[in-house]
Amino acid sequence: MLVGLDMGGTHTDAVVIRDAKVWRYTKVLTSPHNFLESIQSALKEVLAGIPLDNIRRVNLSTTVSTNAIVEGKTAPVGLVLEPGPGLNPAFLACGRHNYFLSSAIDHRGRETAPLKEEELREAASAFRQRKIGHLAIVGKFSPRNPAHELAAAEYFKKDFPHLTLGHRLSGRLNFPRRVFSAYFNAAVADTYRSFAQAMMSFCSGNKITAPIYILKADGGTLSLETSREMPIETILSGPAASIMGALALAPTNDDAIILDIGGTTTDIAFLAGGAPLLEPQGAFIAGRPTLVRALLTRSLGLGGDSYTRVEGGGLRLGPQRHGPAMALGGPQPTPTDALLTLERINIGDPEAARRAMKLLGLQLGLGVEDVAEQILRQFACQIAVAVESFLKEINSRPVYTVREVLEDKKINPTHAIAIGAPANALAPYLEETLKLPVKVPELAEIANAVGAALSRVTAEISLQADTEQKVLLVPELGLKETIPASFNLATARGRALNLIRERARQMGAYPEQLEEVEITEEQSFNMVRGFWTSGRNIRLKAQIKPGLETIIRR
Amino acid sequence: MLKAQNRLGLVFFPAFDWAISPTHPEREERLLYTQDQVIEEGLLDIEGIIEYRPRLATTRDVERVHVCVPDVKSRTTESHLIAAGGAMVAAEAVIKGEVDRAFALVRPPGHHAFRIVHGARGFCNINIEAIMLEYIRQQYGPKRVAIVDTDCHHGDGTQDIYWHDKDTLYISIHQDGRTLYPGSGFLHEFGGPNALGYNLNLPLPPGTGEDGFLYALDNFILPVLEEFKPDLIINSAGQDNHYTDPITNMRFSAPGYAKLNDRLKPDIAVLEGGYSIEGALPYTNVGIILAMAGLDYSYVREPDYAPAKVSQPAEITQYIADLCRQALNAWRNREEIAAKLRSGQEKVQRHRRIYYDTEGLLETQTETTLICDACAGLSWIDSCTDQGEHILAVFIPRSSCSRCYEEGYKIFEQTPKQNFTHLYLQDRLKDILLYR
Ligand SMILES: [Zn+2]
Ligand SMILES: [Zn+2]
């Protein structure tokens, strides 16, 4: 049995999956002031009477880290930055106190200015004075050579127990994103660790011995244990859980659109050949770009509870929400009222819903049903417009090789999968505006928890080898070793596959996943100096194949 | 987060799977470290910096500028067409108003490609700026354009293409042709009889430093632009003037390139040469991007930057000051010089030998141009190579008057075919290239 739980802003959903079927599920209200309690009460309810020994895994998607950031309940962070030449680094100063080192590393990972101990001393005393306990140490090009980050960490570690090092979070280049990722990781560390501790005590207290995993924004998981070191990875897992759930409930091998229609927002995502697309660089957190791997989604301010009114002689939907539908005692007309008026759903007070439509109808000179019809058509139209512009953006992404320009690969959706409460009722309207079949799977309302239950561990490494400097690096593993001049792409592939297995074990991957590893990107450049080839510059990315534990059988 | 003061379109095409040959300067590795630096700086996350996907230029786009012998397909690879197409995408984004400026960071370069193309010269097969510009004119109407070429080599190809065109002012600053490939680009190369003064060269001495380049900009290029009043400024943004470049002898720098760009304010920049792929290109390109976007570039410098590496002796300072004065005078007296040269003439001829270094091919050309007050004038070129090609190419300009137009067709149709391997007519009014 697999257990999945998704804690959202309003509801916390939990499911138990047995033999590829949803066996049990529950929905409890999320208590805004006590996340732990929401999780625990949902777990208790869904597991009641189940022999706990049969549980193989418990996967949790939480908003603990996200909320800490949104609500500003974070620890003060000291930033130690090594910006080197380039952009004016002032905009990166997001810590309580920020110290800029004058040392530098270049694009090949060569030291171009040495680390100075007096600068570290000065930084440390400034942090101590301000009673800062958490430090994030980030250098430009540190994934190409983490020596300065490591040496600084060595210097700070006795006085500052909580250190986040930029190169350990991601091997990808992008200094500002690395800075923001490291900053957030340090800022939520306390909040997240106390949550993790409480979950562990709860489980041992309730005889849940199955391993616990935490959902990530890329639709994968990592073990609760590992997540304590990289809490930033647990951020924004909610939308990913829903997308993975849609995939489990309506599996496909085609290009497709996924729509998660909620009360306030509609999230849009795409599948390419059945696999969800990733953000090219990483997620945005509180308006700042990071290197956190995440599924590519766009959130549209349009949902069942969107504030609906007449403006400039026409209907306007969203992006605000002023409470629930009038049919459910809310203050303003909403698309949900339109659905109830047309008897496409069956919740709340139909008379109140008709009153809402009448209010708008008077201003537009339309009858109650006509207004309702027009609202739903416009709702579907706005989604179609957003889908189209998002798709255009994805399909015009830059490429860097002749081969890719000639291939001109594009996402061409054959259908849409819609989940969320109003999905079923809206499907016919969406089919019209998207001009595509729209599938609404059964149990679409708990897709998020299903997705959580069936997600598996994901991990990625970046391997870089420079045979001129005779160095091999895997920043995510903190690995640096000497290689011979004969090291080549084929050797690198084998090495990367072994190392991704090591990373997978660290992240708590299931044994069978250790065989499901792949190289996702590879480049090998001859480096020529003068008239001779001086070495090879090899870059590889390897990952555990992402995917679901199983799809849901009917 | 940062926001660009000017919205900047970026086309980045490093052609990671294309090289002239494995150890050639134009190889896969050339823009690798530049891309690393651009990505590590996070430039693409800055609000207002927008990256565009390049596309392929079509045969027609190439034929609008060149006569490729025997045809476009045999003289280009896809990478050439994408470099040209990338520049077209960048320019189009500016013309459509999607961005304020654009930078096409593409390879291979193009400014050594002449109107007639028998092969590759100076790493160039087709002239990517000219293809870009003529596409823009064809799609969006006539424009007065200045091309400012800051590559270390004289852009002899661009000079050749716009030699007769008054609406395209070509200004090149480069290392003196007596000391560097391609050996041309002197003051007296001043434009054809119908466009005299609209081709300006400033051959700088080897060893020119940061001050020399900025002096030439402030005291020659900018005053000329002020008077020419172009609708568009295009920068052929070669970066081989850098003090670390392995194939040239100049002393320019990344901060210098950024300042130059900041003052020149080009609408469109297109990368040309630049072969110091580790020590220069990552920094010069970041500097140019920041300057074009109107962002602070004062932190951009090479790790080994030092004033002594970019300084120049006093004699060079003096030499450049004199050179700028002469060049500016010539520009200001262009009409008198033209009147003298044209008086009593109906047509002019020039004979040239053009060497294609990449394939070791020698071309001999005779170009004839009608003197015309009504248009840029009809030209035809008799060209033969030591590899056995002998062609005649007739060029009817964009602005052609009816006399030049009719004369062009007469020459194309009445020239006996048996003397030539191919006959071509480039008709810019109909936007077609005819073969016989
Ligand atoms: Zn050059
Ligand atoms: Zn004429």
Side-chain angles (χ1 to χ4, degrees):
Chain A
M1 282 187 301
L2 301 167
V3 178
L5 179 144
D6 176 51
M7 184 177 82
T10 335
H11 291 112
T12 295
D13 299 305
V15 297
V16 177
I17 310 265
R18 195 172 75 169
D19 299 332
K21 282 188 173 145
V22 176
W23 190 49
R24 264 207 203 178
Y25 63 92
T26 184
K27 210 181 239 318
V28 305
L29 282 174
T30 300
S31 147
H33 303 295
N34 197 340
F35 294 154
L36 206 59
E37 192 191 279
S38 313
I39 294 180
Q40 294 172 354
S41 71
L43 277 182
K44 274 184 187 154
E45 202 174 311
V46 84
L47 295 177
I50 290 180
L52 297 175
D53 293 347
N54 292 353
I55 302 173
R56 261 203 297 153
R57 275 194 292 279
V58 179
N59 290 352
L60 306 176
S61 159
T62 88
T63 54
V64 172
S65 302
T66 317
N67 275 69
I69 290 167
V70 172
E71 291 169 11
K73 289 178 184 152
T74 52
V77 175
L79 276 184
V80 182
L81 302 182
E82 184 184 86
L87 265 181
N88 180 337
F91 76 107
L92 298 171
C94 57
R96 177 69 58 86
H97 185 69
N98 309 282
Y99 194 92
F100 295 94
L101 303 173
S102 66
S103 42
I105 301 277
D106 81 354
H107 47 80
R108 286 273 303 278
R110 292 167 301 208
E111 178 180 86
T112 54
L115 202 60
K116 294 198 176 98
E117 196 175 329
E118 67 264 29
E119 293 181 357
L120 299 178
R121 198 179 316 128
E122 208 176 292
S125 98
F127 296 140
R128 266 195 301 268
Q129 239 170 53
R130 291 170 176 78
K131 307 217 174 338
I132 292 170
H134 294 74
L135 300 190
I137 305 169
V138 190
K140 190 174 280 177
F141 286 116
S142 66
R144 290 285 155 80
N145 179 1
H148 287 181
E149 282 185 7
L150 292 169
E154 195 55 36
Y155 182 87
F156 289 118
K157 78 174 181 204
K158 51 188 184 302
D159 291 334
F160 303 90
H162 297 295
L163 298 178
T164 298
L165 302 189
H167 73 279
R168 295 305 297 268
L169 296 178
S170 170
R172 291 176 185 263
L173 294 183
N174 195 318
F175 179 57
R177 283 178 182 259
R178 195 175 320 118
V179 172
F180 296 134
S181 308
Y183 164 77
F184 284 126
N185 196 63
V188 301
D190 284 350
T191 313
Y192 187 79
R193 278 178 200 158
S194 62
F195 162 81
Q197 195 51 52
M199 271 317 296
M200 287 177 181
S201 324
F202 168 81
C203 289
S204 58
N206 286 276
K207 312 225 159 24
I208 303 174
T209 51
I212 301 187
Y213 287 86
I214 305 293
L215 262 281
K216 301 192 295 173
D218 69 352
T221 62
L222 81 172
S223 70
L224 181 63
E225 188 59 38
T226 316
S227 71
R228 286 146 44 104
E229 288 310 309
M230 40 179 94
I232 192 64
E233 288 284 348
T234 70
I235 215 135
L236 302 175
S237 59
S242 297
I243 293 167
M244 298 310 282
L247 211 55
L249 295 167
T252 173
N253 291 316
D254 297 329
D255 291 359
I257 306 162
I258 294 183
L259 299 171
D260 181 5
I261 310 169
T264 319
T265 58
T266 295
D267 288 342
I268 305 167
F270 290 100
L271 303 177
L277 293 180
L278 286 167
E279 277 281 358
Q281 299 227 63
F284 275 77
I285 300 173
R288 292 207 158 103
T290 72
L291 288 168
V292 174
R293 248 166 72 111
L295 298 186
L296 183 64
T297 58
R298 273 285 182 291
S299 199
L300 180 66
L302 182 69
D305 297 342
S306 286
Y307 169 40
T308 304
R309 71 278 185 195
V310 175
E311 249 176 46
L315 275 171
R316 288 262 301 170
L317 278 60
Q320 315 88 315
R321 173 185 189 265
H322 286 330
M326 280 175 71
L328 294 166
Q332 298 284 357
T334 68
T336 302
D337 292 312
L339 285 168
L340 185 55
T341 300
L342 295 174
E343 294 171 5
R344 294 187 182 274
I345 53 171
N346 189 15
I347 46 157
D349 172 9
E351 276 318 303
R354 292 184 73 85
R355 271 202 305 283
M357 293 303 105
K358 201 163 173 191
L359 223 59
L360 300 171
L362 285 174
Q363 300 172 65
L364 292 167
L366 288 174
V368 166
E369 276 82 9
D370 289 344
V371 175
E373 192 69 35
Q374 203 176 321
I375 291 172
L376 300 182
R377 235 181 266 133
Q378 183 161 336
F379 191 104
C381 202
Q382 278 176 238
I383 290 180
V385 168
V387 164
E388 196 176 319
S389 90
F390 192 11
L391 193 59
K392 193 177 160 202
E393 192 187 313
I394 292 169
N395 282 337
S396 57
R397 259 194 223 153
V399 292
Y400 302 121
T401 56
V402 173
R403 183 180 55 80
E404 290 168 295
V405 174
L406 296 180
E407 273 177 12
D408 197 22
K409 224 167 141 188
K410 293 205 158 110
I411 306 285
N412 196 0
T414 59
H415 65 283
I417 304 164
I419 56 174
N424 236 325
L426 283 166
Y429 297 91
L430 287 167
E431 294 204 320
E432 215 165 283
T433 56
L434 293 170
K435 299 183 183 69
L436 287 175
V438 175
K439 292 184 192 165
V440 182
E442 264 175 68
L443 299 172
E445 65 281 7
I446 51 155
N448 52 343
V450 172
L454 298 176
S455 292
R456 319 176 77 187
V457 170
T458 51
E460 182 193 55
I461 55 157
S462 324
L463 178 148
Q464 308 149 34
D466 184 325
T467 66
E468 189 186 35
Q469 301 188 75
K470 303 199 169 45
V471 173
L472 177 143
L473 274 177
V474 180
E476 295 91 343
L477 286 164
L479 178 89
K480 180 181 181 183
E481 53 185 46
T482 306
I483 46 168
S486 61
F487 193 89
N488 59 27
L489 189 58
T491 345
R493 279 189 202 121
R495 194 82 182 96
L497 290 175
N498 279 331
L499 290 168
I500 181 63
R501 287 188 191 105
E502 190 176 326
R503 176 67 165 176
R505 266 190 290 269
Q506 267 181 18
M507 305 285 278
Y510 325 140
E512 67 272 25
Q513 285 190 280
L514 299 180
E515 297 317 308
E516 299 164 16
V517 292
E518 62 182 353
I519 306 281
T520 50
E521 286 173 34
E522 61 174 41
Q523 291 176 305
S524 174
F525 294 89
N526 278 332
M527 296 186 287
V528 180
R529 298 299 172 263
F531 294 100
W532 311 107
T533 300
S534 61
R536 267 179 299 273
N537 193 314
I538 299 171
R539 295 144 181 221
L540 289 180
K541 287 196 188 351
Q543 67 169 9
I544 309 177
K545 283 185 192 159
L548 294 158
E549 187 68 28
T550 173
I551 55 172
I552 296 295
R553 282 192 286 127
R554 299 259 165 275
Chain B
M1 281 305 296
L2 290 176
K3 192 175 169 192
Q5 220 173 74
N6 313 312
R7 288 167 307 159
L8 176 67
L10 213 52
V11 175
F12 193 78
F13 187 68
F16 283 148
D17 50 356
W18 184 87
I20 290 182
S21 70
T23 57
H24 194 278
E26 265 309 333
R27 63 179 181 275
E28 298 88 342
E29 188 193 3
R30 184 174 163 224
L31 292 176
L32 180 62
Y33 312 107
T34 296
Q35 190 191 43
D36 285 350
Q37 192 79 33
V38 167
I39 292 177
E40 177 69 352
E41 295 293 345
L43 298 187
L44 300 172
D45 286 327
I46 294 174
E47 190 186 339
I49 296 187
I50 303 154
E51 194 180 6
Y52 287 84
R53 182 194 279 214
R55 64 162 190 262
L56 284 151
T58 62
T59 301
R60 191 166 196 195
D61 294 325
V62 179
E63 289 180 342
R64 194 173 289 128
V65 170
H66 293 292
V67 165
C68 292
V69 184
D71 52 29
V72 173
K73 205 164 182 281
S74 7
R75 295 280 75 96
T76 56
T77 67
E78 283 105 357
S79 193
H80 297 108
L81 298 174
I82 298 168
M88 286 159 58
V89 168
E92 198 153 35
V94 173
I95 302 294
K96 284 183 173 167
E98 293 170 11
V99 291
D100 301 312
R101 297 174 184 179
F103 184 17
L105 247 163
V106 295
R107 59 175 283 265
H111 74 154
H112 296 304
F114 281 53
R115 280 223 272 206
I116 292 177
V117 175
H118 288 288
R121 302 184 67 248
F123 319 164
C124 304
N125 290 45
I126 53 173
N127 196 301
I128 59 179
E129 281 98 341
I131 290 170
M132 165 187 93
L133 175 55
E134 294 317 303
Y135 168 77
I136 291 300
R137 282 175 162 147
Q138 191 66 38
Q139 293 291 313
Y140 301 95
K143 302 231 158 7
R144 249 170 109 73
V145 177
I147 300 177
V148 179
D149 190 329
T150 51
D151 190 278
C152 192
H153 301 90
H154 176 231
D156 52 352
T158 313
Q159 166 168 306
D160 179 61
I161 291 166
Y162 291 110
W163 188 248
H164 302 294
D165 185 357
K166 252 180 145 153
D167 291 325
T168 310
L169 171 64
Y170 179 66
I171 308 177
S172 177
I173 57 171
H174 46 264
Q175 184 174 328
D176 195 310
R178 289 168 295 191
T179 62
L180 189 69
Y181 180 90
S184 55
F186 300 99
L187 244 47
H188 64 79
E189 294 162 41
F190 202 46
N194 297 322
L196 205 75
Y198 293 87
N199 188 89
L200 301 173
N201 287 307
L202 199 73
L204 297 171
T208 297
E210 228 172 51
D211 291 346
F213 283 97
L214 296 175
Y215 183 94
L217 177 72
D218 293 340
N219 296 282
F220 170 57
I221 298 176
L222 294 180
V224 169
L225 291 178
E226 181 75 21
E227 291 166 32
F228 179 69
K229 296 194 190 346
D231 303 321
L232 272 183
I233 298 176
I234 297 168
N235 181 204
S236 286
Q239 297 166 19
D240 36 11
N241 285 301
H242 196 266
Y243 64 85
T244 59
D245 199 274
I247 61 177
T248 64
N249 314 94
M250 303 300 246
R251 294 157 76 83
F252 208 29
S253 64
Y257 268 108
K259 275 183 212 156
L260 181 142
N261 208 278
D262 190 16
R263 297 186 202 169
L264 180 63
K265 297 186 178 27
D267 300 283
I268 302 151
V270 180
L271 176 67
E272 281 288 338
Y275 300 96
S276 171
I277 63 176
E278 288 200 63
L281 265 52
Y283 308 103
T284 46
N285 282 304
V286 167
I288 291 173
I289 292 170
L290 294 184
M292 287 190 88
L295 289 160
D296 182 1
Y297 54 79
S298 62
Y299 288 72
V300 177
R301 65 191 147 66
E302 301 79 352
D304 65 348
Y305 181 84
K309 294 190 174 174
V310 298
S311 62
Q312 66 190 20
E315 338 45 296
I316 287 189
T317 307
Q318 190 53 51
Y319 180 91
I320 293 173
D322 290 343
L323 198 66
C324 287
R325 205 169 312 120
Q326 274 183 59
L328 193 59
N329 273 337
W331 155 257
R332 287 187 174 148
N333 294 322
R334 64 191 179 279
E335 297 196 348
E336 290 142 58
I337 303 171
K340 231 179 276 169
L341 198 95
R342 288 161 58 118
S343 75
Q345 302 242 48
E346 268 180 27
K347 57 185 171 195
V348 289
Q349 260 193 355
R350 44 177 190 159
H351 304 278
R352 293 185 295 171
R353 289 154 72 83
I354 298 161
Y355 185 60
Y356 289 71
D357 56 317
T358 313
E359 23 229 303
L361 176 153
L362 186 70
E363 176 194 6
T364 313
Q365 276 195 7
T366 302
E367 183 199 66
T368 313
T369 305
L370 297 184
I371 304 259
C372 187
D373 291 324
C375 75
L378 177 75
S379 284
W380 60 96
I381 297 175
D382 182 313
S383 151
C384 50
T385 69
D386 56 5
Q387 320 266 311
E389 289 286 0
H390 183 198
I391 66 145
L392 179 75
V394 182
F395 296 91
I396 294 175
R398 271 192 324 273
S399 58
S400 180
C401 68
S402 53
R403 177 195 62 138
C404 290
Y405 192 79
E406 281 154 25
E407 190 62 27
Y409 269 89
K410 214 156 82 193
I411 294 169
F412 176 63
E413 279 157 5
Q414 295 177 2
T415 303
K417 168 83 185 139
Q418 64 268 27
N419 300 337
F420 296 97
T421 48
H422 306 276
L423 288 167
Y424 301 89
L425 172 74
Q426 188 191 68
D427 176 350
R428 287 298 309 275
L429 293 191
K430 289 205 183 113
D431 194 30
I432 46 169
L433 181 76
L434 302 177
Y435 302 70
R436 255 184 73 202

